[in-house]
Amino acid sequence: NAGVTQTPKFQVLKTGQSMTLQCAQDMNHNSMYWYRQDPGMGLRLIYYSASEGTTDKGEVPNGYNVSRLNKREFSLRLESAAPSQTSVYFCASSSQGRNQPQHFGDGTRLSIL
Amino acid sequence: GDSVTQMEGPVTLSEEAFLTINCTYTATGYPSLFWYVQYPGEGLQLLLKATKADDKGSNKGFEATYRKETTSFHLEKGSVQVSDSAVYFCALTEGYKLSFGAGTTVTVRA
């Protein structure tokens, strides 16, 4: 019962370094998402992929890129990390169709110094 | 656009007390509504859902009813336990994107 798996769980970067966060799901879901969680702000959508081969910007895409590698995997890349990107990042997935609930990974805690 | 407003916390209760967390929403169409729970150091877990007006979602003693007339989806539990201490998020979706409230931290004391 792995569900949504995120790696790494923790990471510390220096300003300007690059990093790719990995996400894989084993539920045969079509849609995948990346969120960031900051204190008092709930979760904000960075990018999403409604289906394999498509990606779209969410609420806060600046400074990030994504790749939907295949149906299972959806990665998030920080090309030049900034302290403002210190956050907890969550990947999620959902089955095909509108208005489906999303299933979340345990998060990656990223600190940028 | 779509938005969710939920009761600010933190909320501190004694064991066996009644819990209510208010949630109201703004949406243009017919969203599905959710409550998620986040335990310390973990990701979000779906607690319950409702997909249309007057639906009641329930799970683990928690309940919420989709009220279109008041655009609300308040979470309730009749008798909380220490293990219910967590952050609770109200959310809605119209399509693929989830819109979340800011979260309400609940602490239950023995």
Side-chain angles (χ1 to χ4, degrees):
Chain A
N1 270 2
V4 179
T5 302
Q6 293 184 234
T7 55
K9 295 190 184 305
F10 302 93
Q11 185 70 47
V12 179
L13 295 177
K14 295 180 180 179
T15 298
Q17 287 185 317
S18 62
M19 171 79 188
T20 299
L21 308 185
Q22 307 287 352
C23 175
Q25 54 90 11
D26 62 2
M27 295 174 283
N28 201 34
H29 284 169
N30 281 56
S31 303
M32 296 185 74
Y33 313 81
W34 276 105
Y35 294 88
R36 60 178 291 173
Q37 183 179 29
D38 301 293
M41 300 188 74
L43 277 76
R44 293 181 292 169
L45 182 65
I46 304 171
Y47 271 92
Y48 70 103
S49 172
S51 61
E52 189 178 356
T54 69
T55 60
D56 286 284
K57 295 179 180 179
E59 186 182 352
V60 288
N62 291 346
Y64 305 96
N65 286 302
V66 290
S67 295
R68 183 73 184 266
L69 305 170
N70 48 55
K71 190 172 184 179
R72 291 186 63 247
E73 299 172 287
F74 188 41
S75 62
L76 178 72
R77 183 162 179 83
L78 287 71
E79 290 291 351
S80 179
S84 61
Q85 294 177 305
T86 293
S87 188
V88 182
Y89 291 85
F90 287 99
C91 179
S93 67
S94 66
S95 57
Q96 187 171 7
R98 297 171 61 85
N99 294 13
Q100 298 297 318
Q102 295 180 15
H103 301 264
F104 286 79
D106 286 340
T108 294
R109 285 149 183 80
L110 183 61
S111 293
I112 299 161
L113 307 176
Chain B
D2 297 347
S3 67
V4 175
T5 302
Q6 66 180 97
M7 187 173 94
E8 289 189 20
V11 174
T12 302
L13 302 166
S14 298
E15 214 166 18
E16 299 184 1
F18 185 85
L19 171 67
T20 299
I21 304 176
N22 290 340
C23 171
T24 57
Y25 67 89
T26 302
T28 53
Y30 302 93
S32 291
L33 303 174
F34 308 96
W35 276 100
Y36 283 85
V37 59
Q38 184 179 32
Y39 299 104
E42 299 184 8
L44 278 70
Q45 301 175 24
L46 180 65
L47 181 58
L48 53 83
K49 67 177 181 179
T51 58
K52 62 183 186 297
D54 300 324
D55 268 1
K56 177 185 282 188
S58 62
N59 187 26
K60 299 181 181 179
F62 291 89
E63 293 183 341
T65 300
Y66 189 143
R67 302 286 188 200
K68 190 167 174 62
E69 64 275 15
T70 54
T71 61
S72 65
F73 192 54
H74 304 322
L75 182 68
E76 296 181 337
K77 186 173 184 182
S79 178
V80 294
Q81 304 300 313
V82 172
S83 57
D84 293 324
S85 298
V87 182
Y88 293 83
F89 293 93
C90 185
L92 70 82
T93 183
E94 282 190 286
Y96 297 99
K97 302 178 189 180
L98 269 177
S99 296
F100 285 90
T104 302
T105 301
V106 174
T107 302
V108 180
R109 295 184 173 171

